[in-house]
Amino acid sequence: MNALLLALLLSHLGPRPEVLLGATPAARARGKPTVRKVKATQAPPDTPPDARAKPPQGLPPEGAEDQAPSGPPTPEVSDPLLTPVPPAPIQMRSWDEALELVRQRSTDLSTAQAQVESAGGQARVALAGLLPSLNGTVLTQLNILDTDNTSLFFGGGSGGGGGLGGGTTGFQTSDPPVTGGSDTQTPTKPPVAGLLTASVALFNYQAITTLRTAREGQRTATLSLAETRRQLSLALARALVSVAAQERLAEVNRVNLRSALERLALAQRRLELGAGTRLDVVRVQQDAETARALVVVGDEDLRKAREALGLALGTPEAVGLAPGVRVESLMQRAQKDCRTLENLEGRSDLAAARSRITVAERQISSVKAQYVPSLSLSSTTVALTVKEDAVNVPFWNIGATLSLPFWDGGVREGLLRQSRAQATSARQQSLALERSVTIEVAQARRGVKVAQDSRDISSREQKLAEENDRLTRRSFEVGTGTSLELIQTAAALRQAELALVVREFQLERAKVEAFLAEAACDW
């Protein structure tokens, strides 16, 4: 027992020599003195009753040892860093609330939906190549040099070439009247003509293959949208777990800082009483500064995690978790919005990769279809304004067109080589994705067991570090331990507590990743 402890004990003694103090082995193991009472001599008969009732001076009252604290009182400490980080301006209370923000604000989701819409538009354009088309043209002309001698010209590039033979046809509108059909009628001045052209493809293999390719591309975009939903669910779950972990780490950092400041106050008190050295204070102060640094870094990590959650939710502000929200309940609700797949082949990214191969192969067929002749049916009618009647229809033509693609300078050959290369690239990308997904799923399944074992080991390490720190602190209080041992055990406890928090949230993250690795999200 050192001089400081002896001085503290003797300060409680009274002048009565028959009072004996001692420290039991159990008390020494706990690092605190225990008062052991010895039966006092019987008081003389003439002793006043009040004097007999009073316990001997220096002894605690009856039962006081049962009410005594387990150790010395904890010193009061204060530090600006002990103040927690202010809560985030936006706080999530449930998974459904977070998912609703993702639906409304996610740029990735909006982009994937726009790609689905674009693919649908391309499919509709491809379908138009197989459906009838109907075009109308209304025109009027005036001969500036001779207003009385005006002719109407219908060029092949104005939409009437199909029925008029693709050349330029003119109708004389000067006096005497021109003949349109079986009757002779005089056109109006200025003349007005209407041209109506209709066409339909009787056989167009290129349009058929283009439509099939476009519809498969639409299916690819839909599968990509499903994969985007799965990735957004995974990113949201990771962000929520990260925020919860960083909030817990920030809390643990402050607990460790308070403990370090309490050890510093104890070392300074020992130095003031002459039982400690300046070296002890410096060592403990170094440990306190290390704890402060962890608080500063942990607070910044918490702010970054909140900002990352805000970006995942589609907002530029920091987002945190509402008080009392447990990450376990959030993850359980997240698993209800996604369904487990019966086999890995149904995962959206693998299905999209296989669909891209189909698109590339059909593009090859589309290029080959350009070598096949096409047959179309067209009809054209013209109406003129005349003086004798409102409208005169001079003719109505109907014809068929057979297109024979003999030579285009090598354009089709180049497109064929390009489409074949794209198909090969799509196959290789799909094969690489299948390999990586197989490893990803295997690692995700194994990761849950690894995270569980790591969490259990960290839990045992934390308990041992806590007990070691408690015993070392008691030894330091009674003077049998050194400041170096106190700092080492405190640092070990701090690392064990932080590791336990990280392992707990890694376990939750591993469970979510293992589930979503073989799931489809249809929200």
Side-chain angles (χ1 to χ4, degrees):
M1 185 177 297
N2 62 359
L4 174 61
L5 181 59
L6 183 60
L8 291 175
L9 294 177
L10 292 178
S11 65
H12 293 285
L13 293 179
R16 297 177 61 90
E18 65 269 21
V19 178
L20 300 179
L21 297 177
T24 63
R28 287 195 296 269
R30 293 191 301 268
K32 64 176 183 178
T34 300
V35 179
R36 178 164 46 88
K37 297 187 293 183
V38 179
K39 184 177 181 180
T41 57
Q42 187 175 1
D46 55 351
T47 304
D50 295 340
R52 293 177 182 173
K54 294 180 180 179
Q57 185 177 1
L59 286 180
E62 190 71 19
E65 57 272 11
D66 298 334
Q67 303 175 359
S70 59
T74 303
E76 295 293 336
V77 295
S78 63
D79 193 276
L81 291 179
L82 292 177
T83 304
V85 179
I90 303 177
Q91 296 182 349
M92 293 294 101
R93 295 174 174 79
S94 65
W95 172 265
D96 294 336
E97 181 182 357
L99 196 60
E100 184 61 27
L101 286 179
V102 172
R103 290 193 186 98
Q104 297 176 358
R105 302 184 178 183
S106 175
T107 56
D108 293 337
L109 183 62
S110 299
T111 301
Q113 291 173 343
Q115 290 175 351
V116 172
E117 185 67 18
S118 175
Q122 292 177 358
R124 187 62 184 85
V125 171
L127 177 61
L130 298 173
L131 298 179
S133 63
L134 182 64
N135 298 313
T137 303
V138 178
L139 61 95
T140 181
Q141 295 178 3
L142 179 64
N143 189 346
I144 300 176
L145 300 179
D146 186 2
T147 57
D148 294 333
N149 188 15
T150 300
S151 300
L152 289 174
F153 293 91
F154 299 90
S158 63
L164 298 174
T168 302
T169 301
F171 293 93
Q172 183 70 29
T173 61
S174 61
D175 295 328
V178 297
T179 301
S182 58
D183 299 329
T184 301
Q185 296 177 339
T186 304
T188 60
K189 295 181 181 181
V192 178
L195 181 66
L196 188 63
T197 303
S199 64
V200 60
L202 299 180
F203 178 76
N204 191 339
Y205 185 66
Q206 180 181 357
I208 295 174
T209 56
T210 302
L211 176 60
R212 294 177 60 203
T213 303
R215 286 179 174 174
E216 186 63 27
Q218 188 177 7
R219 179 173 175 268
T220 302
T222 303
L223 292 173
S224 298
L225 175 60
E227 174 62 15
T228 300
R229 290 195 181 101
R230 191 184 71 87
Q231 292 292 342
L232 288 175
S233 298
L234 181 58
L236 178 59
R238 287 175 176 174
L240 290 172
V241 171
S242 177
V243 170
Q246 293 300 330
E247 288 181 350
R248 181 73 181 106
L249 287 174
E251 180 182 354
V252 172
N253 287 334
R254 281 175 170 76
V255 173
N256 291 332
L257 176 59
R258 182 176 294 276
S259 179
L261 293 177
E262 292 173 355
R263 286 190 291 268
L264 178 60
L266 177 61
Q268 292 174 345
R269 180 60 178 168
R270 282 170 54 90
L271 178 62
E272 294 173 358
L273 295 176
T277 64
R278 180 62 182 169
L279 179 60
D280 295 336
V281 176
V282 171
R283 286 173 175 173
V284 180
Q285 193 169 6
Q286 286 179 336
D287 181 68
E289 294 302 325
T290 302
R292 284 192 178 95
L294 290 177
V295 171
V296 173
V297 174
D299 290 350
E300 179 61 18
D301 291 341
L302 174 58
R303 298 186 189 97
K304 290 182 179 180
R306 288 175 174 176
E307 291 169 351
L309 177 57
L311 291 178
L313 296 174
T315 176
E317 299 182 80
V319 180
L321 296 179
V325 175
R326 295 178 57 85
V327 67
E328 294 85 355
S329 61
L330 292 177
M331 297 304 101
Q332 291 175 359
R333 185 65 186 87
Q335 295 180 2
K336 294 181 180 180
D337 287 328
C338 300
R339 54 183 174 85
T340 305
L341 298 173
E342 296 180 358
N343 54 72
L344 192 58
E345 297 296 324
R347 215 172 91 156
S348 54
D349 54 347
L350 293 178
R354 292 192 298 269
S355 180
R356 293 188 187 96
I357 296 177
T358 305
V359 170
E361 292 175 347
R362 290 185 177 178
Q363 286 176 347
I364 297 177
S365 301
S366 298
V367 175
K368 291 181 178 180
Q370 296 180 12
Y371 291 93
V372 180
S374 60
L375 178 63
S376 62
L377 181 66
S378 60
S379 177
T380 303
T381 183
V382 176
L384 298 173
T385 58
V386 293
K387 296 179 179 179
E388 292 77 5
D389 199 356
V391 177
N392 180 37
V393 179
F395 62 84
W396 182 6
N397 295 339
I398 185 170
T401 302
L402 178 62
S403 176
L404 300 174
F406 291 115
W407 175 247
D408 60 358
V411 175
R412 287 170 294 189
E413 182 64 24
L415 293 176
L416 186 60
R417 293 174 56 186
Q418 182 181 6
S419 58
R420 285 173 176 172
Q422 291 175 352
T424 302
S425 177
R427 293 189 192 97
Q428 296 303 316
Q429 291 177 359
S430 177
L431 180 59
L433 181 61
E434 289 178 0
R435 294 172 180 173
S436 63
V437 168
T438 302
I439 298 299
E440 175 189 348
V441 173
Q443 291 179 349
R445 293 174 179 173
R446 198 170 59 243
V448 177
K449 182 65 170 58
V450 173
Q452 180 70 43
D453 294 341
S454 300
R455 197 278 306 271
D456 295 341
I457 294 174
S458 296
S459 179
R460 292 193 294 268
E461 290 178 346
Q462 189 271 340
K463 292 180 181 178
L464 292 174
E466 184 179 5
E467 180 66 13
N468 187 18
D469 179 73
R470 186 184 67 82
L471 295 177
T472 304
R473 187 169 179 173
R474 291 292 180 265
S475 299
F476 182 75
E477 290 172 354
V478 300
T480 59
T482 64
S483 60
L484 181 59
E485 294 174 348
L486 182 67
I487 299 306
Q488 289 176 345
T489 55
L493 176 59
R494 180 164 54 244
Q495 294 299 326
E497 290 177 343
L498 295 177
L500 178 58
V501 173
V502 172
R503 296 294 184 272
E504 288 177 347
F505 287 98
Q506 283 180 348
L507 176 59
E508 293 297 329
R509 177 172 176 172
K511 291 179 180 179
V512 174
E513 291 183 350
F515 172 75
L516 292 178
E518 301 178 85
C521 300
D522 302 326
W523 46 268

